[in-house]
Amino acid sequence: NFDLSASEAVKAIEKKTNHDVKAIEYFLAEKLSDYGLSHWIPWLHFGCTSEDINNLAYALMFKSAEETVLMPLIADLMHAINRLATETQHLPMLSRTHGQAASPTLLGKEILNFAKRLERQVDQLDKISILGKMNGAVGNFNAHAVAYPQVDWLQLSKQFVQKIELTWNPYTTQIEPHDWIAEKLHCFMRLNTILLDFSRDIWGYIALHYFTQKSVKDEVGSSTMPHKINPIDFENAEGNLGMANAISQHFCEKLPISRWQRDLSDSTVLRNLGTLFGHNVLAYQALIKGIQKLSPNPQQIYQELQAHPEVLAEAIQSVMRSEGIADAYEQLKAFSRGKAIDATALQNFIETL
């Protein structure tokens, strides 16, 4: 029945000890005494260093957050992206390379690209093990071996860590070195970067009117311009993805480094893990919400594609090459580069061949 008052009692003890884990140990000792179990007090924190407790706690919290919050949201988001790709799979669209009109593509194919990129990162995330250790003050079972030399402490440590469904790390200093956290977060950063790319592309397609956004009753787009439906979900996602990646980058640079057998600089960083995950959650939720508001605008997409017949130049010069015309590329370059060409001009060029 650990409640707010119990938490406050722990913090009161911590004001004296200036040590959070020791404060919890003393709190539990008091509780054991209250319940007539004082004979168990010597076994509280036996052979442990604080990091034996903390590294396992953070590993379990990370595991729980990943499995029950982050990955289900990512699965929902990938489903939304795949559904959008399916809905738009037959819509021909003007491509843009370097921001300029380029050979046609399919809108659904461009959306599907993102889903396939995300699948790779999800697969890699699944393969990264979450590690834990329980081996004492400097990772050597020093005190354990002195107190109970007959016990196979390596095996006991392995069994305990595996029993709580973590991967045992037998080689550590006082702290578990946090490499697995960096590995996980680097993967999340790549996944988030893909989603940043997706957010900006969809934002751009909305600006081009390739997508319209469904009007939600009572929502306000602008405090002064009543007509507006802004792409705020994709903008919110972009901001939160940037924050998540910025925090993750510091985690990845900081956590694997600890002076000699340990320093405490990792502790204050790890306390921000919830903030980091919070930005991820807000971003994924915003993207799901934003995708649900999208409606493709085939008329606008078709009109813009029809307005740029010059993008057929690549196909025409390729057919010319296949017919043995050596200067096919040069002919099309002279005819089309930097010029406004309509369908009639293009047809007239073809008839001269």
Side-chain angles (χ1 to χ4, degrees):
N1 298 323
F2 191 87
D3 55 17
L4 179 59
S5 63
S7 177
E8 291 172 342
V10 171
K11 295 304 290 183
I13 299 171
E14 187 182 348
K15 286 182 179 179
K16 300 175 184 177
T17 62
N18 198 30
H19 195 287
D20 51 3
V21 175
K22 204 65 179 176
I24 293 171
E25 179 190 344
Y26 289 161
F27 172 81
L28 292 174
E30 291 178 5
K31 290 300 179 182
L32 287 176
S33 295
D34 292 343
Y35 286 102
L37 299 172
S38 300
H39 57 287
W40 290 111
I41 291 176
W43 302 104
L44 282 173
H45 208 61
F46 177 80
C48 293
T49 184
S50 298
E51 184 61 14
D52 286 329
I53 312 305
N54 288 336
N55 92 96
L56 298 178
Y58 275 114
L60 290 171
M61 288 190 289
F62 194 112
K63 186 173 186 290
S64 176
E66 183 180 24
E67 292 178 353
T68 67
V69 180
L70 295 175
M71 297 316 296
L73 269 175
I74 290 169
D76 289 346
L77 176 53
M78 290 174 64
H79 178 72
I81 293 172
N82 275 303
R83 187 174 62 249
L84 183 63
T86 300
E87 291 172 358
T88 57
Q89 64 181 321
H90 299 304
L91 276 177
M93 180 185 81
L94 183 70
S95 287
R96 280 179 168 78
T97 58
H98 310 280
Q100 309 300 308
S103 298
T105 186
L106 294 169
L107 179 54
K109 174 260 177 180
E110 299 306 316
I111 302 298
L112 189 62
N113 285 347
F114 291 104
K116 295 304 178 182
R117 292 170 67 190
L118 292 170
E119 284 178 11
R120 290 189 66 251
Q121 300 309 316
V122 168
D123 182 60
Q124 291 178 48
L125 267 172
D126 189 54
K127 293 175 181 176
I128 300 171
S129 298
I130 297 180
L131 276 58
K133 74 99 181 179
M134 180 166 273
N135 50 17
V138 290
N140 301 334
F141 301 100
N142 304 54
H144 308 65
V146 170
Y148 287 97
Q150 73 278 17
V151 174
D152 185 346
W153 287 104
L154 280 170
Q155 185 61 25
L156 189 61
S157 172
K158 180 179 180 180
Q159 288 175 351
F160 180 80
V161 172
Q162 290 180 340
K163 187 174 182 179
I164 58 175
E165 299 183 351
L166 300 175
T167 299
W168 181 55
N169 187 354
Y171 299 105
T172 78
T173 59
Q174 184 179 102
I175 68 169
E176 202 289 321
H178 308 313
D179 296 335
W180 70 264
I181 298 179
E183 292 163 8
K184 283 278 191 183
L185 293 185
H186 271 134
C187 201
F188 271 111
M189 287 170 67
R190 292 194 299 273
L191 186 147
N192 287 349
T193 299
I194 293 167
L195 290 175
L196 270 168
D197 195 18
F198 174 78
S199 299
R200 291 173 180 174
D201 273 13
I202 296 297
W203 188 98
Y205 291 143
I206 293 170
L208 292 171
H209 305 291
Y210 285 10
F211 287 107
T212 60
Q213 297 176 94
K214 296 171 185 174
S215 178
V216 178
K217 190 178 184 305
D218 297 328
E219 276 194 2
V220 174
S222 166
S223 63
T224 187
M225 293 176 281
H227 69 283
K228 299 198 72 179
I229 304 177
N230 293 327
I232 59 171
D233 297 306
F234 299 98
E235 293 168 344
N236 285 337
E238 183 176 339
N240 278 294
L241 290 166
M243 284 297 299
N245 277 8
I247 299 171
S248 293
Q249 184 64 39
H250 182 64
F251 268 65
C252 295
E253 292 175 352
K254 167 67 211 111
L255 292 182
I257 299 172
S258 187
R259 295 173 183 85
W260 293 333
Q261 281 65 59
R262 90 124 345 146
D263 66 63
L264 199 63
S265 57
D266 63 327
S267 178
T268 191
V269 174
L270 282 166
R271 293 170 194 265
N272 292 280
L273 197 57
T275 302
L276 163 58
F277 286 162
H279 284 294
N280 281 330
V281 167
L282 290 173
Y284 304 156
Q285 289 175 337
L287 285 172
I288 293 169
K289 183 180 178 183
I291 292 170
Q292 291 172 344
K293 295 179 182 178
L294 295 177
S295 294
N297 185 358
Q299 183 177 0
Q300 175 65 23
I301 295 171
Y302 176 79
Q303 287 178 351
E304 188 158 24
L305 183 58
Q306 291 298 108
H308 290 276
E310 71 274 11
V311 300
L312 295 174
E314 179 192 19
I316 294 169
Q317 63 99 10
S318 295
V319 172
M320 291 169 64
R321 284 168 179 257
S322 72
E323 295 294 328
I325 300 176
D327 65 342
Y329 177 88
E330 285 71 24
Q331 286 192 48
L332 265 296
K333 177 184 174 183
F335 169 71
S336 65
R337 190 166 192 251
K339 299 176 182 177
I341 297 171
D342 59 21
T344 301
L346 193 62
Q347 182 64 36
N348 290 339
F349 173 82
I350 293 172
E351 291 175 355
T352 66
L353 299 176

